[in-house]
Amino acid sequence: MDKTKVSLRLLLALFIFTSTSLPASEGESAVSASGQNQDSNQVQTQAPAPMRTQVGYGELLSLETRPSDSTITYGDDPLQHVEVWRATAPVKTALVFIHGGCWLNAYDLNHAKGFYHALAEKGITIYAVEYRRTGDEGGGWPGSLHDVLAGITASLDDVARSNSKHTVVLAGHSAGGHLALLAAQSLGAKSLGAKSLGTMSPGVISQGTINSDNANNTNVQIQSVLGLAAITDVAKYAMGTNSCQSATTAFMGGEPSTAESAYIEATPDSSKSNIPFHLLHGSSDSIVPVHHASLTGAASTIVPSGGHFDWLHPESTSFHALLEVINQHGY
């Protein structure tokens, strides 16, 4: 792929991503919640006034927060680490979280620190996985997924060492939601203690930094994987022109027409995982349109008028919808 074109795409993504309202392309037009698949898995949440919707990216950066309590490393690269925010209320849940940001190295886990802090005050211990992304050596597809798998393993090892009986939930936002879903698919079972690491192609597993022997020593069950505004149709997403869409081919290393097998492997499939998929989406998300919340076999929760960054803001309708879903899984 022409390097000049890649650079222009990345610059466009960096400029547009921080906008509070981005138009979807024609191929990715956002539809209302009522236009979604009305099956038994889909839940319509009612917006409890006066909760917020359409939160801007910049608002996340001014939220109250605190430094993480500890750091876990899972590789030699400085980016291969997990930041842990311990719950400050009685602990019931551990949430392993994969941050988003168009898969780009311009966006790290720090933009969601207010989110981690708010959840910790609700009795949820957060394991925020950092990983190499587009622009980092070893990042992109499939290296970013390798890192995420290893980071999840390290997080669950820590939960196991604490000898706690917490409910464990895996979640990710936007591009991080895409990777979280793929990680659940790759793990292929409700715990890393399972002998099989899943149904993804042998190349994707063997090239990664995950150690199957260490994984077998971890007997912690993941109850569910939550995709918050997650990208679920990566090939269609790559055809769009908005912020993250323009960064997709750089992450994947090519267009869908020239890297077809890679795009197939990078498309989440809930039927290949014993970990239940639950997709949460705002009906007015202009960065990842709401049709990405329609995935065969996955439950979905659609927040009316919800925006892309709402999930990370503790005063939003979407944040409280997330708490309700975590509650369903044992919180």
Side-chain angles (χ1 to χ4, degrees):
M1 184 175 182
D2 187 279
K3 292 183 178 179
T4 301
K5 291 182 178 179
V6 172
S7 298
L8 288 174
R9 282 179 177 272
L10 295 182
L11 286 172
L12 177 63
L14 289 172
F15 176 76
I16 301 178
F17 182 71
T18 56
S19 173
T20 60
S21 179
L22 297 176
S25 67
E26 291 181 5
E28 286 279 303
S29 58
V31 297
S32 68
S34 61
Q36 286 298 294
N37 225 346
Q38 297 298 325
D39 58 32
S40 59
N41 280 333
Q42 192 170 84
V43 179
Q44 287 287 323
T45 56
Q46 298 300 315
M51 294 298 176
R52 298 276 310 281
T53 58
Q54 296 299 319
V55 171
Y57 175 80
E59 295 180 73
L60 304 179
L61 308 181
S62 61
L63 290 172
E64 179 184 357
T65 188
R66 62 178 173 84
S68 63
D69 296 298
S70 60
T71 301
I72 302 168
T73 59
Y74 62 85
D76 296 330
D77 192 288
L79 290 171
Q80 294 175 311
H81 68 272
V82 181
E83 297 293 326
V84 185
W85 276 260
R86 304 287 178 187
T88 56
V91 185
K92 298 181 181 179
T93 302
L95 183 73
V96 182
F97 185 77
I98 316 302
H99 72 82
C102 306
W103 304 285
L104 295 170
N105 65 355
Y107 303 100
D108 60 16
L109 62 78
N110 289 313
H111 71 267
K113 278 187 172 181
F115 171 73
Y116 313 143
H117 173 67
L119 288 177
E121 291 195 325
K122 299 289 185 182
I124 301 172
T125 290
I126 302 297
Y127 291 84
V129 178
E130 190 56 279
Y131 55 98
R132 293 171 295 178
R133 303 164 300 269
T134 305
D136 298 318
E137 185 177 354
W141 180 260
S144 294
L145 178 59
H146 297 163
D147 280 7
V148 165
L149 283 165
I152 293 169
T153 303
S155 300
L156 297 191
D157 282 344
D158 187 76
V159 174
R161 282 193 297 270
S162 70
N163 199 29
S164 65
K165 300 187 181 298
H166 305 336
T167 297
V168 180
V169 176
L170 173 62
H173 176 246
S174 192
H178 167 247
L179 293 171
L181 295 171
L182 287 174
Q185 176 180 323
S186 183
L187 296 174
K190 285 189 177 181
S191 79
L192 284 172
K195 292 189 179 296
S196 171
L197 284 178
T199 55
M200 192 164 281
S201 73
V204 171
I205 294 297
S206 63
Q207 294 175 25
T209 55
I210 190 167
N211 183 307
S212 59
D213 291 332
N214 289 342
N216 290 340
N217 291 331
T218 299
N219 189 23
V220 177
Q221 290 190 338
I222 299 174
Q223 296 300 317
S224 183
V225 57
L226 311 181
L228 313 180
I231 299 163
T232 61
D233 188 340
V234 69
K236 187 172 183 180
Y237 201 66
M239 303 307 293
T241 58
N242 77 20
S243 60
C244 282
Q245 293 166 340
S246 67
T248 307
T249 55
F251 171 72
M252 291 300 302
E255 304 280 351
S257 59
T258 60
E260 183 178 0
S261 61
Y263 277 85
I264 291 172
E265 283 190 336
T267 300
D269 184 346
S270 64
S271 70
K272 295 181 179 179
S273 177
N274 291 331
I275 300 173
F277 282 25
H278 195 139
L279 305 176
L280 297 88
H281 225 99
S283 68
S284 300
D285 189 325
S286 58
I287 294 178
V288 181
V290 70
H291 71 72
H292 285 268
S294 292
L295 189 64
T296 301
S300 63
T301 296
I302 309 299
V303 175
S305 302
H308 188 70
F309 299 108
D310 296 5
W311 302 103
L312 307 181
H313 198 293
E315 296 177 3
S316 73
T317 305
S318 296
F319 180 86
H320 288 267
L322 171 61
L323 291 179
E324 289 179 11
V325 170
I326 293 175
N327 184 59
Q328 293 172 13
H329 295 287
Y331 165 59

